[in-house]
mmCIF file with all atom_site columns, all heavy atoms in Angstrom:
data_model
loop_
_atom_site.group_PDB
_atom_site.id
_atom_site.type_symbol
_atom_site.label_atom_id
_atom_site.label_alt_id
_atom_site.label_comp_id
_atom_site.label_asym_id
_atom_site.label_entity_id
_atom_site.label_seq_id
_atom_site.pdbx_PDB_ins_code
_atom_site.Cartn_x
_atom_site.Cartn_y
_atom_site.Cartn_z
_atom_site.occupancy
_atom_site.B_iso_or_equiv
_atom_site.pdbx_formal_charge
_atom_site.auth_seq_id
_atom_site.auth_comp_id
_atom_site.auth_asym_id
_atom_site.auth_atom_id
_atom_site.pdbx_PDB_model_num
ATOM 1  N N   . ALA A 1 91  ? 4.626  11.498 -30.632 1.00 0.00 ? 91  ALA A N   1
ATOM 2  C CA  . ALA A 1 91  ? 4.943  12.898 -31.239 1.00 0.00 ? 91  ALA A CA  1
ATOM 3  C C   . ALA A 1 91  ? 3.606  13.454 -31.608 1.00 0.00 ? 91  ALA A C   1
ATOM 4  O O   . ALA A 1 91  ? 2.669  12.845 -32.055 1.00 0.00 ? 91  ALA A O   1
ATOM 5  C CB  . ALA A 1 91  ? 5.821  12.641 -32.461 1.00 0.00 ? 91  ALA A CB  1
ATOM 6  N N   . GLY A 1 92  ? 3.485  14.747 -31.439 1.00 0.00 ? 92  GLY A N   1
ATOM 7  C CA  . GLY A 1 92  ? 2.354  15.612 -31.934 1.00 0.00 ? 92  GLY A CA  1
ATOM 8  C C   . GLY A 1 92  ? 1.148  15.575 -31.161 1.00 0.00 ? 92  GLY A C   1
ATOM 9  O O   . GLY A 1 92  ? 0.152  16.164 -31.486 1.00 0.00 ? 92  GLY A O   1
ATOM 10 N N   . ALA A 1 93  ? 1.153  14.871 -29.916 1.00 0.00 ? 93  ALA A N   1
ATOM 11 C CA  . ALA A 1 93  ? -0.008 14.753 -29.136 1.00 0.00 ? 93  ALA A CA  1
ATOM 12 C C   . ALA A 1 93  ? 0.208  15.682 -28.029 1.00 0.00 ? 93  ALA A C   1
ATOM 13 O O   . ALA A 1 93  ? 0.905  15.501 -27.080 1.00 0.00 ? 93  ALA A O   1
ATOM 14 C CB  . ALA A 1 93  ? -0.158 13.347 -28.650 1.00 0.00 ? 93  ALA A CB  1
ATOM 15 N N   . VAL A 1 94  ? -0.646 16.770 -27.993 1.00 0.00 ? 94  VAL A N   1
ATOM 16 C CA  . VAL A 1 94  ? -0.473 17.837 -26.915 1.00 0.00 ? 94  VAL A CA  1
ATOM 17 C C   . VAL A 1 94  ? -0.825 17.269 -25.618 1.00 0.00 ? 94  VAL A C   1
ATOM 18 O O   . VAL A 1 94  ? -0.160 17.549 -24.623 1.00 0.00 ? 94  VAL A O   1
ATOM 19 C CB  . VAL A 1 94  ? -1.390 19.057 -27.204 1.00 0.00 ? 94  VAL A CB  1
ATOM 20 C CG1 . VAL A 1 94  ? -1.412 19.990 -26.161 1.00 0.00 ? 94  VAL A CG1 1
ATOM 21 C CG2 . VAL A 1 94  ? -1.016 19.644 -28.576 1.00 0.00 ? 94  VAL A CG2 1
ATOM 22 N N   . ASP A 1 95  ? -1.948 16.570 -25.431 1.00 0.00 ? 95  ASP A N   1
ATOM 23 C CA  . ASP A 1 95  ? -2.268 16.025 -24.170 1.00 0.00 ? 95  ASP A CA  1
ATOM 24 C C   . ASP A 1 95  ? -1.234 15.089 -23.624 1.00 0.00 ? 95  ASP A C   1
ATOM 25 O O   . ASP A 1 95  ? -0.905 15.022 -22.426 1.00 0.00 ? 95  ASP A O   1
ATOM 26 C CB  . ASP A 1 95  ? -3.621 15.190 -24.224 1.00 0.00 ? 95  ASP A CB  1
ATOM 27 C CG  . ASP A 1 95  ? -4.745 16.180 -24.440 1.00 0.00 ? 95  ASP A CG  1
ATOM 28 O OD1 . ASP A 1 95  ? -4.675 17.318 -24.172 1.00 0.00 ? 95  ASP A OD1 1
ATOM 29 O OD2 . ASP A 1 95  ? -5.903 15.568 -24.717 1.00 0.00 ? 95  ASP A OD2 1
ATOM 30 N N   . ALA A 1 96  ? -0.674 14.294 -24.546 1.00 0.00 ? 96  ALA A N   1
ATOM 31 C CA  . ALA A 1 96  ? 0.430  13.367 -24.132 1.00 0.00 ? 96  ALA A CA  1
ATOM 32 C C   . ALA A 1 96  ? 1.691  14.092 -23.718 1.00 0.00 ? 96  ALA A C   1
ATOM 33 O O   . ALA A 1 96  ? 2.320  13.689 -22.700 1.00 0.00 ? 96  ALA A O   1
ATOM 34 C CB  . ALA A 1 96  ? 0.849  12.473 -25.333 1.00 0.00 ? 96  ALA A CB  1
ATOM 35 N N   . ALA A 1 97  ? 2.031  15.234 -24.420 1.00 0.00 ? 97  ALA A N   1
ATOM 36 C CA  . ALA A 1 97  ? 3.129  16.094 -23.938 1.00 0.00 ? 97  ALA A CA  1
ATOM 37 C C   . ALA A 1 97  ? 2.962  16.615 -22.479 1.00 0.00 ? 97  ALA A C   1
ATOM 38 O O   . ALA A 1 97  ? 3.874  16.624 -21.726 1.00 0.00 ? 97  ALA A O   1
ATOM 39 C CB  . ALA A 1 97  ? 3.396  17.105 -24.878 1.00 0.00 ? 97  ALA A CB  1
ATOM 40 N N   . GLU A 1 98  ? 1.764  17.029 -22.245 1.00 0.00 ? 98  GLU A N   1
ATOM 41 C CA  . GLU A 1 98  ? 1.448  17.581 -20.930 1.00 0.00 ? 98  GLU A CA  1
ATOM 42 C C   . GLU A 1 98  ? 1.562  16.536 -19.824 1.00 0.00 ? 98  GLU A C   1
ATOM 43 O O   . GLU A 1 98  ? 2.128  16.651 -18.733 1.00 0.00 ? 98  GLU A O   1
ATOM 44 C CB  . GLU A 1 98  ? 0.082  18.227 -20.855 1.00 0.00 ? 98  GLU A CB  1
ATOM 45 C CG  . GLU A 1 98  ? -0.003 19.519 -21.711 1.00 0.00 ? 98  GLU A CG  1
ATOM 46 C CD  . GLU A 1 98  ? -1.437 20.009 -21.766 1.00 0.00 ? 98  GLU A CD  1
ATOM 47 O OE1 . GLU A 1 98  ? -2.442 19.340 -21.289 1.00 0.00 ? 98  GLU A OE1 1
ATOM 48 O OE2 . GLU A 1 98  ? -1.643 21.173 -22.289 1.00 0.00 ? 98  GLU A OE2 1
ATOM 49 N N   . ARG A 1 99  ? 1.071  15.261 -20.247 1.00 0.00 ? 99  ARG A N   1
ATOM 50 C CA  . ARG A 1 99  ? 1.068  14.190 -19.185 1.00 0.00 ? 99  ARG A CA  1
ATOM 51 C C   . ARG A 1 99  ? 2.612  13.732 -19.006 1.00 0.00 ? 99  ARG A C   1
ATOM 52 O O   . ARG A 1 99  ? 2.902  13.455 -17.989 1.00 0.00 ? 99  ARG A O   1
ATOM 53 C CB  . ARG A 1 99  ? 0.334  13.117 -19.883 1.00 0.00 ? 99  ARG A CB  1
ATOM 54 C CG  . ARG A 1 99  ? 0.366  11.750 -19.059 1.00 0.00 ? 99  ARG A CG  1
ATOM 55 C CD  . ARG A 1 99  ? -0.205 11.956 -17.635 1.00 0.00 ? 99  ARG A CD  1
ATOM 56 N NE  . ARG A 1 99  ? -0.085 10.712 -16.846 1.00 0.00 ? 99  ARG A NE  1
ATOM 57 C CZ  . ARG A 1 99  ? 0.245  10.734 -15.575 1.00 0.00 ? 99  ARG A CZ  1
ATOM 58 N NH1 . ARG A 1 99  ? 0.553  11.838 -14.924 1.00 0.00 ? 99  ARG A NH1 1
ATOM 59 N NH2 . ARG A 1 99  ? 0.321  9.543  -14.882 1.00 0.00 ? 99  ARG A NH2 1
ATOM 60 N N   . PHE A 1 100 ? 3.301  13.797 -20.090 1.00 0.00 ? 100 PHE A N   1
ATOM 61 C CA  . PHE A 1 100 ? 4.731  13.408 -20.018 1.00 0.00 ? 100 PHE A CA  1
ATOM 62 C C   . PHE A 1 100 ? 5.472  14.281 -18.940 1.00 0.00 ? 100 PHE A C   1
ATOM 63 O O   . PHE A 1 100 ? 6.214  13.904 -18.122 1.00 0.00 ? 100 PHE A O   1
ATOM 64 C CB  . PHE A 1 100 ? 5.496  13.415 -21.375 1.00 0.00 ? 100 PHE A CB  1
ATOM 65 C CG  . PHE A 1 100 ? 6.783  13.065 -21.407 1.00 0.00 ? 100 PHE A CG  1
ATOM 66 C CD1 . PHE A 1 100 ? 7.200  11.646 -21.599 1.00 0.00 ? 100 PHE A CD1 1
ATOM 67 C CD2 . PHE A 1 100 ? 7.890  13.869 -21.098 1.00 0.00 ? 100 PHE A CD2 1
ATOM 68 C CE1 . PHE A 1 100 ? 8.431  11.161 -21.647 1.00 0.00 ? 100 PHE A CE1 1
ATOM 69 C CE2 . PHE A 1 100 ? 9.213  13.437 -20.985 1.00 0.00 ? 100 PHE A CE2 1
ATOM 70 C CZ  . PHE A 1 100 ? 9.525  12.074 -21.355 1.00 0.00 ? 100 PHE A CZ  1
ATOM 71 N N   . ALA A 1 101 ? 5.254  15.596 -19.076 1.00 0.00 ? 101 ALA A N   1
ATOM 72 C CA  . ALA A 1 101 ? 5.917  16.661 -18.171 1.00 0.00 ? 101 ALA A CA  1
ATOM 73 C C   . ALA A 1 101 ? 5.383  16.312 -16.846 1.00 0.00 ? 101 ALA A C   1
ATOM 74 O O   . ALA A 1 101 ? 6.197  16.444 -15.845 1.00 0.00 ? 101 ALA A O   1
ATOM 75 C CB  . ALA A 1 101 ? 5.511  17.994 -18.649 1.00 0.00 ? 101 ALA A CB  1
ATOM 76 N N   . GLU A 1 102 ? 4.154  16.160 -16.556 1.00 0.00 ? 102 GLU A N   1
ATOM 77 C CA  . GLU A 1 102 ? 3.683  15.841 -15.207 1.00 0.00 ? 102 GLU A CA  1
ATOM 78 C C   . GLU A 1 102 ? 4.281  14.549 -14.672 1.00 0.00 ? 102 GLU A C   1
ATOM 79 O O   . GLU A 1 102 ? 4.743  14.523 -13.521 1.00 0.00 ? 102 GLU A O   1
ATOM 80 C CB  . GLU A 1 102 ? 2.127  15.684 -15.224 1.00 0.00 ? 102 GLU A CB  1
ATOM 81 C CG  . GLU A 1 102 ? 1.427  16.916 -15.628 1.00 0.00 ? 102 GLU A CG  1
ATOM 82 C CD  . GLU A 1 102 ? -0.134 16.697 -15.804 1.00 0.00 ? 102 GLU A CD  1
ATOM 83 O OE1 . GLU A 1 102 ? -0.496 15.503 -15.776 1.00 0.00 ? 102 GLU A OE1 1
ATOM 84 O OE2 . GLU A 1 102 ? -0.835 17.628 -16.087 1.00 0.00 ? 102 GLU A OE2 1
#
Side-chain angles (χ1 to χ4, degrees):
V94 175
D95 289 347
E98 293 175 352
R99 174 63 183 139
F100 184 93
E102 292 170 359

